[in-house]
Amino acid sequence: MRAALPQREPDMAKNWDESGRYQEIIKRNTGKPKYILHDGPPYANGDIHLGTALNKVLKDIIVRYKNLSGYCSEYVPGWDTHGLPIERKALQKLGADSTQIEPVELREHCREFALQYVDVQREQFKRLGVLGDFENPYLTLRPEFEARQIEIFGEMAEKGYIYKGLKPVYWCPDCKTALAEAEIEYAEDPCHSIYVKFQVEDDKGLFSELGVDKSKVYFVIWTTTTWTLPGNLAICLGPKYEYCLVKAGEEYYVVARELIGPTMKAAKIEEYEIVASFEGEKLENMACRHPFLDRESRVILGDHVTLESGTGCVHTAPGHGVEDYEVCVNNYPDIPIIVPVDSKGVLTAEAGPFQGLSTDEANKAIAKALEESGHLFAIEKIIHQYPHCWRCKSPILFRATEQWFCSVEAFKEEAIKAIDEVEWIPEWGQGRITNMVRDRSDWCISRQRRWGVPIPIFYCKHCGKELIDKTSIKAVSELFRRHGSDAWYTTDAADILPAGTKCKACGHEEFTKETDIMDVWFDSGCTHAAVLDERENLCWPADLYLEGADQYRGWFQSSLLTAVAWRGKAPYKTVCTHGWVVDGEGRKMSKSLGNGIAPEDIVGQYGADVLRLWVASSDYHADIRISPEILKQLSEAYRKIRNTARYILGNLDGFDPQRDLLPYDQLEEIDRWALVRLSELTAKAKEAYGAFDFHIVFHAIHNYCTIDLSNFYLDVIKDRLYTEAADSRRRRAAQSAMYRILRDLTLLVAPILCFTAEEIWQYIPADERYDSGSVMYNEIPENGKYAESAEFLNKWDRLHAVRDDVNKALENARNEKLIGKSLEAAVTLCCDGELYEFLQEQQNLPEVFIVSSVSVARGVAGSYQGEVEGLSVSVSRAQGEKCERCWMYSETVGKDQGHPTLCARCAGVIGE
């Protein structure tokens, strides 16, 4: 075995690809129980990054392990190939915007771009050692996928879950489209929070009865989005909260009692008095004058009001906030929905004097106007978490627009029940996704773009009524299956719908088509139906979904919602998540910090197996750290495992398992001990693999190689390997044990170190009980393969403890220049009672301690007192001369005239 992983791995990966290694594994495992890990599709818009590499390697470890442990685990990789990031890249390349190019031409450029990066990422995944059906992946742009997606949409629509409505949604003015919650990222955003006075016009006589001039009374609202004030139509109070009439100077302010202090502090008002107090519900339907537009702002009530910040009087703009919208539509339907901001983030005529300003410009202009008019109560500069578009990173708007929605509310309880039937790893994931679904009422599924699956809805030209039924869905699905979704843009509605199709509302027969496309999360959310349910070699539901923790609001949730809406249950049995990749100090990797590391750089310097070891060594449920120092440490750990295998292989030269392998009961005790420890490792590793705790597997294997093998067993048996006759029983016993260890150890490490395991496997002496074609054509050993009594194990635990004390005594003697190598030493074990009897019975102590002689004495004290109770150790120089062959000191050296430089044992071996 040679090193140079970066140079050797590409040839191995190429060989696996050309020889059909994955297909052969599946062929050999056909008929075994299936285990399906369903691939969450990465986005095909660039090279892979470390997060992608982490995800793919984790999946490959699981798939490999399952195929090695009695399952047939097919892995179909997939790619998400629609959406705005690809559309933006295509438009940048063309130097155009979406209004300057025909939809079909734009879509063709998007398709080319996506397929280019599918190919790029496919090769990058293969370079990481990932095995899968890369020749037949699933792509969300393929006609058969799009057709199935249309069918799922149709079934959801038939059940009444799909509807069109005017509601506030996340809106990106830069991308000019609605966004789903999963497409939102929160980032720190500096802004001004302002307190605004709304003058009371109609107090329902409540303040007047107190002798207070209502024209001097103001409700004080607070907002961090000044640009939404043109959309204000109401002020919302908590019905059971206590609100106070606070006098300061000549004016009166209505503020929640609990927030009077911070509100007055913000306005730098130190002297004030509370004149009266009221429950919020007593103030309902009072009317205030909008501070700069000619309309009233009504006082309303809502349970969503909190006292965490602000004034307790909530600025309510139903065209800009979901809660504002819901409280008005559900409880005050006469309050209109006004949206004074267009799709570009520019204020419209409904914003009055601020028409034509961007939201940023409006923030400043409105604040200035409020100050000049005397309506600005206070202003503070703050930094808060604000939603940004995940694609362009720009701040988003809350804007009511007509969109297509999926009503999550309609099947929410069914979805929560489905969540309860899934195993979540870590367990907290269940609570996280449950809360997300419970807090969600709708899913905005329409997007105002071109590169995606069109929403398959028609409109009557005469009355505008929507047409969506089984017949229309079937027509669209069949069209897409034959020609792909481009056909939506090249085929007239009359040529899609069956002849004679009529509007159910007015009877007319002419229709137009919806211009919006579906949210890409709906695309990927349908993979369970378009892939698992469509391919005969797979199964629905999947055994496992494994993605980053951000997918609780993304793919896990979109898949859950479409599956429950379609079939009433979750599309997965188990969900496992991993964290983010961060640098060695725990910081998020970014270009600005200059702390990013590309997967290809790691693979180029260390090899893919070291990157895979990094993945396996981490408790990946939390954030995973990486740095040059961490990689260097891991490369050393890798080298220890590899060198252990190399050492064993070197000592198996000439060993033929068919001829030389000794039965277990003919091995030396120490050989059996090493195999029992191997059996314990196997059980621990298999349990950890099954729980997806790969860091436990790594540390167990590394410790076995380092502590049990290198530091003890392999060190002790060197004497047997190098000095016994080549075909002696004792040497064959050591080789038999090492052979068994290497076979099983290679199988255990194969899911993680896939390249190294294959290389080791090719060098292990051939054995008809194993398939030498590939380590992946075999199975991980069963538990309990090697076992001994508790008495046997206790004996070797005691010997280990004694050996530790002896090693410390030898180190002291070495420091005192009494000895150099341990073979120069004669050791005396000083003890009494049962320990004396125990040590007296041991015949192999010089071999175990790697010294030239050992004696056991009682009634005396040794020079070193260690950890073993009742034991002390003395070290002296060994008597006799050094044997040139075994390097042990013996008084028998020179006794054999034919071999004057050898001890009696070595002379006997040579004589044979």
Side-chain angles (χ1 to χ4, degrees), residues 102 143 160 192 195 233 460 523 636 657 664 701 719 744 760 787 790:
E102 289 297 316
H192 285 94
Y195 297 77
L233 291 159
C460 175
D523 291 23
E636 291 300 320
Y664 177 79
I701 291 174
D719 182 72
D744 288 5
I760 295 170

Side-chain angles (χ1 to χ4, degrees), residues 521-755:
W521 289 107
F522 198 95
D523 291 23
S524 59
C526 289
T527 60
H528 62 86
V531 183
L532 297 176
D533 199 53
E534 289 288 295
R535 300 198 184 196
E536 292 183 359
N537 56 323
L538 304 179
C539 59
W540 194 105
D543 290 286
L544 178 66
Y545 274 34
L546 188 156
E547 302 298 331
D550 57 332
Q551 296 308 313
Y552 288 112
R553 65 172 184 156
W555 191 54
F556 298 155
Q557 193 174 150
S558 64
S559 299
L560 173 77
L561 296 178
T562 57
V564 171
W566 170 46
R567 273 191 172 166
K569 62 182 293 187
Y572 35 66
K573 298 175 185 176
T574 302
V575 172
C576 182
T577 58
H578 59 77
W580 302 99
V581 178
V582 295
D583 70 11
E585 298 176 19
R587 300 175 301 174
K588 183 179 178 181
M589 291 188 163
S590 68
K591 291 181 180 178
S592 60
L593 291 175
N595 61 347
I597 304 176
E600 59 265 29
D601 292 340
I602 298 173
V603 171
Q605 181 176 355
Y606 295 103
D609 266 0
V610 171
L611 186 147
R612 293 175 68 98
L613 196 61
W614 163 69
V615 172
S617 69
S618 309
D619 182 0
Y620 60 84
H621 298 307
D623 288 344
I624 307 99
R625 297 193 178 205
I626 192 167
S627 67
E629 292 74 26
I630 291 171
L631 288 169
K632 185 176 180 182
Q633 291 169 8
L634 285 168
S635 69
E636 291 300 320
Y638 167 80
R639 192 172 292 114
K640 171 55 70 176
I641 296 170
R642 182 184 180 87
N643 286 345
T644 300
R646 288 186 65 186
Y647 177 83
I648 292 176
L649 284 172
N651 281 285
L652 290 179
D653 185 38
F655 180 81
D656 181 354
Q658 308 302 129
R659 180 193 66 209
D660 304 322
L661 187 69
L662 295 182
Y664 177 79
D665 60 5
Q666 292 184 23
L667 304 184
E668 301 284 307
E669 273 199 18
I670 193 172
D671 302 325
R672 303 205 307 274
W673 172 86
L675 290 174
V676 169
R677 293 290 291 158
L678 173 67
S679 208
E680 292 171 354
L681 166 66
T682 299
K684 185 174 185 178
K686 289 175 72 173
E687 181 181 4
Y689 269 128
F692 311 135
D693 288 330
F694 308 127
H695 64 290
I696 293 177
V697 179
F698 159 69
H699 288 295
I701 291 174
H702 183 258
N703 288 342
Y704 181 69
C705 289
T706 304
I707 299 170
D708 291 337
L709 295 185
S710 295
N711 292 355
F712 180 61
Y713 177 68
L714 296 179
D715 202 21
V716 168
I717 65 170
K718 280 180 184 176
D719 182 72
R720 254 195 293 163
L721 291 171
Y722 298 162
T723 64
E724 297 286 343
D727 60 352
S728 70
R729 188 200 62 78
R730 294 190 74 240
R731 186 168 185 273
R732 290 301 190 207
Q735 288 181 310
S736 295
M738 288 194 300
Y739 169 78
R740 290 181 170 102
I741 288 169
L742 190 58
R743 277 284 184 201
D744 288 5
L745 193 60
T746 305
L747 286 163
L748 287 175
V749 83
I752 298 170
L753 302 180
C754 61
F755 291 101

Side-chain angles (χ1 to χ4, degrees), residues 204 206 219 236-243 277-286 299-303 332:
K204 302 299 181 183
L206 195 62
F219 280 78
C236 197
L237 311 181
K240 297 301 181 182
Y241 293 153
E242 184 181 4
Y243 289 85
S277 66
F278 317 87
E279 272 197 342
E281 60 188 6
K282 300 292 186 183
L283 307 178
E284 184 180 18
N285 289 322
M286 286 186 177
V299 177
I300 64 174
L301 305 177
D303 293 331
Y332 304 92

Side-chain angles (χ1 to χ4, degrees), residues 126-142:
K126 289 179 181 179
R127 179 62 188 88
L128 295 177
V130 177
L131 290 178
D133 193 1
F134 282 106
E135 300 312 307
N136 190 29
Y138 77 84
L139 308 178
T140 58
L141 59 69
R142 284 186 172 164

Side-chain angles (χ1 to χ4, degrees), residues 198 225-235 290-293 295-297 315-321 324-325 328 335-341 347-348 350-352 354 366 398:
F198 280 65
T225 52
T226 305
W227 60 269
T228 63
L229 284 171
N232 177 279
L233 291 159
I235 299 168
H290 193 286
F292 54 81
L293 294 175
R295 65 168 180 256
E296 75 169 31
S297 183
H315 155 52
T316 300
H320 291 306
D324 298 9
Y325 169 87
C328 290
I335 296 178
I337 307 299
I338 294 176
V339 189
V341 179
L347 274 62
T348 66
E350 290 179 299
F354 307 106
I366 292 173
F398 297 94

Side-chain angles (χ1 to χ4, degrees), residues 232-481:
N232 177 279
L233 291 159
I235 299 168
C236 197
L237 311 181
K240 297 301 181 182
Y241 293 153
E242 184 181 4
Y243 289 85
C244 295
L245 190 63
V246 182
K247 184 180 181 184
E250 297 299 314
E251 295 183 338
Y252 298 82
Y253 308 115
V254 179
V255 180
R257 178 181 286 276
E258 292 185 32
L259 295 168
I260 292 173
T263 299
M264 294 301 162
K265 183 179 179 181
K268 297 181 173 58
I269 296 175
E270 296 181 355
E271 295 185 6
Y272 57 87
E273 63 174 312
I274 297 174
V275 175
S277 66
F278 317 87
E279 272 197 342
E281 60 188 6
K282 300 292 186 183
L283 307 178
E284 184 180 18
N285 289 322
M286 286 186 177
C288 297
R289 173 59 39 189
H290 193 286
F292 54 81
L293 294 175
D294 186 19
R295 65 168 180 256
E296 75 169 31
S297 183
R298 194 198 309 181
V299 177
I300 64 174
L301 305 177
D303 293 331
H304 65 283
V305 177
T306 71
L307 300 179
E308 293 176 0
S309 58
T311 66
C313 304
V314 176
H315 155 52
T316 300
H320 291 306
V322 174
E323 290 174 327
D324 298 9
Y325 169 87
E326 289 177 347
V327 73
C328 290
V329 169
N330 295 333
N331 302 327
Y332 304 92
D334 56 320
I335 296 178
I337 307 299
I338 294 176
V339 189
V341 179
D342 68 14
S343 63
K344 298 179 181 178
V346 175
L347 274 62
T348 66
E350 290 179 299
F354 307 106
Q355 178 182 1
L357 299 180
S358 69
T359 53
D360 279 344
E361 293 168 339
N363 283 335
K364 300 180 183 70
I366 292 173
K368 183 178 180 183
L370 290 170
E371 185 176 20
E372 291 173 350
S373 68
H375 289 89
L376 185 64
F377 182 74
I379 185 168
E380 295 178 315
K381 193 167 186 177
I382 64 169
I383 295 177
H384 67 157
Q385 290 286 314
Y386 190 80
H388 289 65
C389 174
W390 73 295
R391 301 177 181 109
C392 68
K393 310 304 179 185
S394 300
I396 59 92
L397 310 178
F398 297 94
R399 178 172 175 264
T401 60
E402 274 207 327
Q403 301 288 340
W404 283 98
F405 295 90
C406 167
S407 173
V408 178
E409 193 68 44
F411 55 91
K412 181 183 293 185
E413 292 309 313
E414 201 175 357
I416 292 173
K417 181 181 177 183
I419 290 170
D420 292 340
E421 295 171 354
V422 174
E423 179 187 10
W424 299 88
I425 304 172
E427 290 183 0
W428 54 256
Q430 179 174 354
R432 187 169 184 181
I433 194 168
T434 298
N435 291 335
M436 287 179 172
V437 172
R438 182 173 284 126
D439 292 343
R440 189 173 192 174
S441 58
D442 298 286
W443 172 9
C444 178
I445 59 174
S446 52
R447 298 292 180 271
Q448 292 65 52
R449 305 302 302 187
R450 293 291 175 267
W451 180 232
V453 177
I455 293 179
I457 292 176
F458 301 87
Y459 298 93
C460 175
K461 272 189 178 182
H462 181 71
C463 70
K465 179 67 177 175
E466 304 94 354
L467 172 68
I468 175 171
D469 57 23
K470 280 187 175 181
T471 302
S472 67
I473 287 293
K474 182 179 180 183
V476 177
S477 175
E478 289 178 350
L479 176 72
F480 285 9
R481 199 175 292 276

